[in-house]
Amino acid sequence: MKRSITNIILLLTAIITLYSCVDNDLDLQPQQDIQTTESTALLTFLNAYNDPFEGIADNGITFVFPIYVTYTNGVIVEIIDEQGLNSVLQGQSADFYVSEIKFPAEIDVAGTIRVINNESEFNNFLNEIGIKTFEEDFLNKFLQCFDFGYPARANDTLFENAGQFLDFIDRKPENTPLSLNFPQNLLIYSLDSVIVFNNEFEVLNLLNNCEGCPQLSFTTRTDNITNYTFIADFPQVDSIPGYQWYINGEFIENDGVDYQGDNQLTRTFEPGEYTVCIAASTDDCMLGTEYCETIFVEDPCPQLFFNVSDSTENNYTFMADFAQMNSIGYSWELYQNGDLLASEFEDGNGDNQFFYQFTQGTYNMCMTAETPECPQGTSYCEEIVIQ
């Protein structure tokens, strides 16, 4: 039966010694009639409900009312519409918040009804709509904004350091969620202090205020075959104090706001493979993060090559065999003891062959080329020995 604001507050006062904001869109329910289940997924869903970035409500995602929830003091409330849900959200605090929900619960996703039967399905639903679960958010920001105050306990297991905790996370079954043991001591990097957290609601507030590591990225522009420009384009590029550029692990330069940088790195490379990275650390990312891309710089010079065929009386024919042989100019050059004996220029319209009748001795047969992309020139040679 629906009650007035005054009656609800009086009833709450009689049942518990705690006050909360409850209005006509909420009904207190006899505890023995409703069975609710503790749900960290519910905390996460409500935490993101009116968040300007997550935008669950703005995206047309809400409960199918009524729903039944239980506060941390054991009082069960029926929420019958959106206004009631917003009253709950506005009235929560670290000492008094919704911690349980009655399953099954129905959620309206832009007109499609989803039935959530248990905590596992609720967490799967969060993933489907792009919301990190409590466990995912905690682990994502662990060692970025905070660490445990050791020794620490989670899932009733004692850990002496972060390595032991992360090994446990890697080994635990997927259907076993992370369960923090409260009260929980967490070392907050930005405060350089260990703070006591008493419940998931307090930890969620910590996660909300931890931006974590910036999601670094850059785009690559090829100015020519060996010249590249890398342009930092991650969302916080104009707000984080600074970041660094590296090539093959070698520090190149600082960039960003504190260094009055242009958020670009331009380099000319020799042919080869290179790993280009940007790295940053902030108050919410004390251990730092990086983003890398690998580029393959091709040789701008043509890869010259020829085949050799011989006949009787030491007559040899050399036949060009490379990709650009009909599109660039190149020269045939025959040497003996470093002296040029004969040469021939091919302009792309010739037969791409060179003929020579040898006498006894050792020779070097070469082809050479220069192009606008390869002004320094390139060559390919083979030794010819005539017995």
Side-chain angles (χ1 to χ4, degrees):
M1 181 177 66
K2 193 167 292 187
R3 297 170 172 84
S4 67
I5 297 176
T6 303
N7 288 340
I8 290 176
I9 293 178
L10 289 175
L11 184 56
L12 279 174
T13 306
I15 297 175
I16 58 173
T17 59
L18 204 56
Y19 290 89
S20 65
C21 295
V22 186
D23 61 23
N24 283 334
D25 300 293
L26 306 176
D27 277 344
L28 295 177
Q29 298 295 317
Q31 188 165 354
Q32 65 271 19
D33 294 341
I34 302 295
Q35 297 296 319
T36 59
T37 302
E38 185 174 356
S39 175
T40 304
L42 173 65
L43 293 180
T44 303
F45 184 86
L46 295 180
N47 179 66
Y49 193 74
N50 286 322
D51 186 280
F53 300 103
E54 304 285 9
I56 289 179
D58 291 340
N59 290 332
I61 302 174
T62 189
F63 286 106
V64 176
F65 299 102
I67 61 170
Y68 299 92
V69 297
T70 301
Y71 281 91
T72 47
N73 60 4
V75 173
I76 299 173
V77 172
E78 178 187 29
I79 304 176
I80 65 173
D81 58 22
E82 196 84 17
Q83 184 177 352
L85 180 59
N86 284 323
S87 296
V88 168
L89 296 177
Q90 294 165 11
Q92 292 189 115
S93 70
D95 298 320
F96 184 70
Y97 60 91
V98 168
S99 60
E100 299 184 8
I101 187 171
K102 179 183 181 296
F103 291 119
E106 294 184 345
I107 298 179
D108 186 337
V109 184
T112 300
I113 306 302
R114 286 292 304 274
V115 178
I116 308 298
N117 292 293
N118 50 51
E119 180 76 350
S120 177
E121 289 185 12
F122 209 161
N123 278 315
N124 290 337
F125 174 74
L126 291 178
N127 282 325
E128 289 177 20
I129 62 175
I131 303 300
K132 287 186 176 67
T133 64
F134 179 86
E135 178 174 337
E136 289 170 337
D137 205 12
F138 185 91
L139 296 177
N140 182 55
K141 293 171 180 176
F142 180 69
L143 298 184
Q144 295 188 26
C145 302
F146 60 88
D147 192 359
F148 287 112
Y150 297 99
R153 189 175 294 275
N155 290 76
D156 295 321
T157 303
L158 188 66
F159 306 102
E160 297 293 339
N161 52 58
Q164 290 181 1
F165 172 69
L166 293 175
D167 286 343
F168 168 79
I169 293 299
D170 287 339
R171 294 194 311 269
K172 76 176 181 64
E174 289 187 10
N175 60 353
T176 301
L178 171 66
S179 176
L180 301 179
N181 290 100
F182 295 103
Q184 186 71 253
N185 292 333
L186 294 179
L187 170 62
I188 310 305
Y189 291 149
S190 60
L191 301 176
D192 194 24
S193 299
V194 174
I195 306 296
V196 179
F197 290 79
N198 295 296
N199 50 57
E200 287 92 348
F201 192 91
E202 292 182 352
V203 175
L204 269 176
N205 284 334
L206 168 67
L207 300 178
N208 288 342
N209 293 304
C210 167
E211 292 186 5
C213 290
Q215 301 300 306
L216 305 180
S217 64
F218 60 81
T219 55
T220 302
R221 185 182 73 214
T222 305
D223 300 319
N224 59 50
I225 198 167
T226 59
N227 189 265
Y228 288 72
T229 297
F230 309 96
I231 306 165
D233 59 359
F234 54 95
Q236 304 97 319
V237 67
D238 293 321
S239 59
I240 68 171
Y243 58 94
Q244 297 75 43
W245 292 96
Y246 294 85
I247 298 178
N248 286 352
E250 179 183 353
F251 170 76
I252 303 300
E253 68 179 32
N254 288 304
D255 209 336
V257 175
D258 283 359
Y259 302 96
Q260 299 179 337
D262 60 359
N263 300 315
Q264 295 188 14
L265 176 70
T266 298
R267 278 291 183 275
T268 299
F269 296 91
E270 295 294 327
E273 178 180 325
Y274 299 87
T275 300
V276 181
C277 300
I278 50 177
S281 60
T282 66
D283 288 343
D284 284 341
C285 182
M286 298 297 288
L287 297 184
T289 186
E290 69 176 8
Y291 172 80
C292 301
E293 288 187 5
T294 299
I295 62 169
F296 301 90
V297 181
E298 296 181 2
D299 191 340
C301 296
Q303 303 300 301
L304 306 179
F305 186 75
F306 58 79
N307 296 306
V308 184
S309 66
D310 60 337
S311 59
T312 58
E313 298 180 0
N314 295 328
N315 295 318
Y316 281 71
T317 299
F318 302 91
M319 298 164 290
D321 186 16
F322 62 96
Q324 304 101 314
M325 64 185 185
N326 292 315
S327 58
I328 66 169
Y330 64 94
S331 295
W332 297 99
E333 296 176 355
L334 179 64
Y335 294 88
Q336 187 177 42
N337 299 324
D339 295 327
L340 180 64
L341 296 182
S343 65
E344 180 180 310
F345 181 74
E346 297 275 5
D347 61 2
N349 295 316
D351 59 4
N352 295 310
Q353 295 184 6
F354 179 79
F355 173 82
Y356 194 79
Q357 186 175 29
F358 291 90
T359 58
Q360 185 177 3
T362 300
Y363 303 82
N364 283 307
M365 186 68 230
C366 298
M367 58 192 337
T368 63
E370 293 182 9
T371 66
E373 297 78 21
C374 181
Q376 73 275 19
T378 186
S379 63
Y380 173 78
C381 299
E382 288 189 14
E383 185 180 79
I384 308 296
V385 177
I386 305 299
Q387 300 296 334

